[in-house]
Amino acid sequence: MFSSLAEKKSWFTPDDLVPERRARFGSALSEGVSFTFVDSPSQPRMSDVPENSLLSCIHSVTARSAASVVLPFTLMAVSAEGRVLELIHSNETLRREAEQAGLRRGLMLDLLHAGMNAVSLAMETGGPTVVRGVEHSHPVFRQWNCICAPLVFEDRRYGFLDLSFSVAREVEFAVPFVIKLAEDISAQVQACDPCMRRSRIQELFQEFGLTPREREVAELWMNKKGALHISSQLGISEGTVRNTVKRIYEKMKVSDRAEMIGRLL
């Protein structure tokens, strides 16, 4: 899928795609260049980070870091499926230019809808990317150099961070900054959003084949609630709780609560 990267290089560019994949990006917008907007994901995944939590962390981290960026820039927070969640501009001029170009929340930046750009390339490669001016499929982006880094939690990508600035500016100096910014945002999301870990645990319950009732019992059990507490909360007998726990252990191939917790965390 990718050609070899130089050892010292820590990001992907369009040239790192093998010819067949590069051609796919090049033909993605052959039928037109209209932007596509989606106000919300059609089918949110259980592992997705709540948007308000993600955006809160992005604003918090970028507020501390933006002062170190001397050039005018636009920062885009993008969901795992390539939907723009937020645009942060370093000045009012950039904000107006973005609005005039039709760039706003809901814009889809995946390969199917926007062709080659730093976000769609990051979705393809799984790592940080750089796409320069004319390498973009969509004309609107050809005035920019763009750097994108994935937001990662437990080896799962839940979004992307894209920094865009004038094509006249050099790119290399800003790549480590964007990668570090993405890492800081990921760390803050993990620290501040218990929903993120809970959603991952629920997804694991599904992978183990637990029924809805078994997932309810499993969540309470792993949080060290006793059979009496669970029976009262769920309106079932203690015997039913204990039998359900036995089935959970069988499906998860564990023998006690500690081992069960260890498989989930």
Side-chain angles (χ1 to χ4, degrees), residues 202 205 211-221 230 234:
Q202 287 293 327
F205 286 159
T211 66
R213 173 62 81 187
E214 289 168 348
R215 293 200 296 269
E216 289 179 321
V217 172
E219 182 172 12
L220 292 168
W221 189 254
I230 296 173
L234 299 183

Side-chain angles (χ1 to χ4, degrees), residues 154-166:
E154 295 184 349
D155 298 324
R156 301 173 68 85
R157 294 197 308 269
Y158 59 87
F160 301 90
L161 195 69
D162 179 286
L163 183 74
S164 301
F165 48 88
S166 170

Side-chain angles (χ1 to χ4, degrees), residues 2 9-14 16-17 25 116-132 135 145-150 160-163 171 174-175 178-179:
F2 317 118
K9 187 175 167 187
S10 60
W11 64 88
F12 293 93
T13 69
D16 294 313
L17 293 171
F25 274 83
M116 174 65 75
N117 60 75
V119 173
S120 63
L121 185 59
M123 294 175 72
E124 180 80 4
T125 64
T129 59
V130 171
V131 177
R132 295 171 172 85
E135 293 175 331
N145 285 333
C146 300
I147 304 167
C148 181
F160 301 90
L161 195 69
D162 179 286
L163 183 74
V171 171
V175 176
V178 176
I179 293 174

Side-chain angles (χ1 to χ4, degrees), residues 55-69 73 75 88 177 180-189 191-192:
L55 294 178
S56 175
C57 291
I58 288 174
H59 282 286
S60 175
V61 173
T62 55
R64 298 194 302 266
S65 306
S68 62
V69 183
F73 67 87
L75 189 71
I88 302 171
F177 169 78
K180 180 62 165 57
L181 197 60
E183 290 173 348
D184 290 347
I185 291 168
S186 295
Q188 182 149 332
V189 168
C192 298

Side-chain angles (χ1 to χ4, degrees), residues 28 30 33 61 70 79-80 82 145 150 191 200 234 240 255 261 264:
S30 60
V33 293
V61 173
V70 296
S79 70
N145 285 333
R200 174 57 179 156
L234 299 183
T240 299
S255 57
I261 294 172
L264 297 168

Side-chain angles (χ1 to χ4, degrees), residues 7-108:
E7 290 185 6
K8 64 179 181 179
K9 187 175 167 187
S10 60
W11 64 88
F12 293 93
T13 69
D15 289 339
D16 294 313
L17 293 171
V18 296
E20 293 80 7
R21 302 300 292 173
R22 181 71 183 268
R24 180 167 172 250
F25 274 83
S27 62
L29 296 181
S30 60
E31 296 182 2
V33 293
S34 298
F35 282 140
T36 299
F37 295 89
V38 176
D39 291 332
S40 61
S42 57
Q43 189 173 7
R45 299 170 307 186
M46 295 183 67
S47 58
D48 283 344
V49 181
E51 289 182 9
N52 59 341
S53 299
L54 176 58
L55 294 178
S56 175
C57 291
I58 288 174
H59 282 286
S60 175
V61 173
T62 55
R64 298 194 302 266
S65 306
S68 62
V69 183
V70 296
L71 76 166
F73 67 87
T74 290
L75 189 71
M76 289 189 286
V78 183
S79 70
E81 72 270 19
R83 180 172 55 92
V84 174
L85 304 175
E86 186 82 302
L87 294 95
I88 302 171
H89 309 287
S90 62
N91 59 50
E92 183 63 18
T93 299
L94 284 175
R95 186 191 66 78
R96 289 197 301 267
E97 290 177 351
E99 288 183 352
Q100 291 171 1
L103 304 181
R104 61 173 175 81
R105 295 182 66 176
L107 173 65
M108 294 300 299

